Amino acid sequence: MENENDRRCDECGKEIKHRSVHLRNPDGDPGRLLCLECYNREMAAIADVKFEHPTFPTVLLTDVDGEEHRFDFAVQLFGYQVSIEAYELEVEHGYRFEIGGNPEEVQKLFNKLLGKMRRGLSRKHIDVDEFGGMPGMLDEMAARGWVEWDDESDGQLPLLVIDGKPVTWDQFGRILASYEGWQFKLEIMERTDEV
Ligand SMILES: [Zn+2]
């Protein structure tokens, strides 16, 4: 899945707003860039599943600090599974939530995803005000987030997104350094799992 700007779907010609799939051929052919609706239609035919590509409206949610976050949704079929990803509009490293399940229950999955998003926005993990000084974790003493590519380190170090904000590996290291002598537990979970 790629982020593309000013691109059009090679199948239906519609402008691709955010998410697309680039189908590449191994022989160096440029392949085809498809909007998710066209991709899902082809995938449904290949997998022989009945799938109606849904269009979900932009959703506005408020976090625990009263800040507003606007989300769009990307629906992608992976054979017998469908995933719905919620991503923040106009925010490069913002909140992301994903859910996966049965393509025939896509509306039910969307409702579950909304619950996951509300739960995610209802808690904070890091005391951002302390960045620059001694950073700290909030009461729960846990961090939940998403691992992203960090251009600054050319991908050598991860960029973490916690509380819908980018936290560099260095910043996260400073947070951990303030708990010298404590134990920790690090778990990597699938994108669609509930953290
Ligand atoms: Zn298309």
Side-chain angles (χ1 to χ4, degrees), residues 9-194:
C9 173
D10 285 335
E11 203 57 43
C12 69
K14 274 191 224 149
E15 192 189 335
I16 289 169
K17 269 203 309 180
H18 300 286
R19 300 293 201 259
S20 62
V21 179
H22 197 168
L23 299 177
R24 289 186 175 85
N25 295 330
D27 57 6
D29 180 279
R32 292 182 303 150
L33 185 71
L34 297 186
C35 71
L36 288 179
E37 188 171 350
C38 289
Y39 175 82
N40 288 343
R41 192 174 52 245
E42 292 191 7
M43 176 58 85
I46 291 166
D48 197 21
V49 293
K50 242 182 82 190
F51 183 69
E52 199 73 44
H53 183 84
T55 308
F56 298 122
T58 298
V59 165
L60 181 73
L61 292 176
T62 307
D63 68 24
V64 69
D65 291 336
E67 260 183 68
E68 289 186 337
H69 301 267
R70 281 179 353 114
F71 291 94
D72 250 1
F73 300 90
V75 181
Q76 189 170 359
L77 201 54
F78 297 91
Y80 305 106
Q81 288 278 310
V82 68
S83 86
I84 312 174
E85 182 198 353
Y87 56 94
E88 270 197 89
L89 286 171
E90 290 129 32
V91 180
E92 197 189 351
H93 300 291
Y95 280 107
R96 279 164 80 177
F97 299 96
E98 195 169 320
I99 200 160
N102 184 345
E104 286 173 19
E105 297 183 340
V106 71
Q107 187 61 48
K108 214 192 251 180
L109 285 170
F110 178 70
N111 295 339
K112 275 173 82 175
L113 178 61
L114 285 179
K116 188 174 177 179
M117 292 162 71
R118 289 201 181 94
R119 286 191 294 282
L121 289 170
S122 70
R123 56 192 177 200
K124 287 269 157 124
H125 304 93
I126 291 176
D127 193 349
V128 181
D129 293 341
E130 294 188 36
F131 274 1
M134 183 66 87
M137 291 209 204
L138 294 173
D139 299 345
E140 206 189 351
M141 300 282 275
R144 294 178 186 83
W146 193 282
V147 183
E148 294 197 357
W149 173 274
D150 189 356
D151 268 337
E152 293 293 311
S153 77
D154 208 19
Q156 295 298 302
L157 295 172
L159 179 72
L160 307 180
V161 179
I162 303 172
D163 301 336
K165 293 189 176 69
V167 178
T168 66
W169 195 244
D170 181 62
Q171 285 172 318
F172 195 63
R174 281 191 285 136
I175 292 170
L176 287 183
S178 66
Y179 295 98
E180 186 194 339
W182 293 55
Q183 303 186 86
F184 77 95
K185 174 176 156 186
L186 177 67
E187 271 183 273
I188 305 292
M189 300 168 83
E190 283 195 45
R191 297 149 60 112
T192 52
D193 284 346
E194 182 91 30

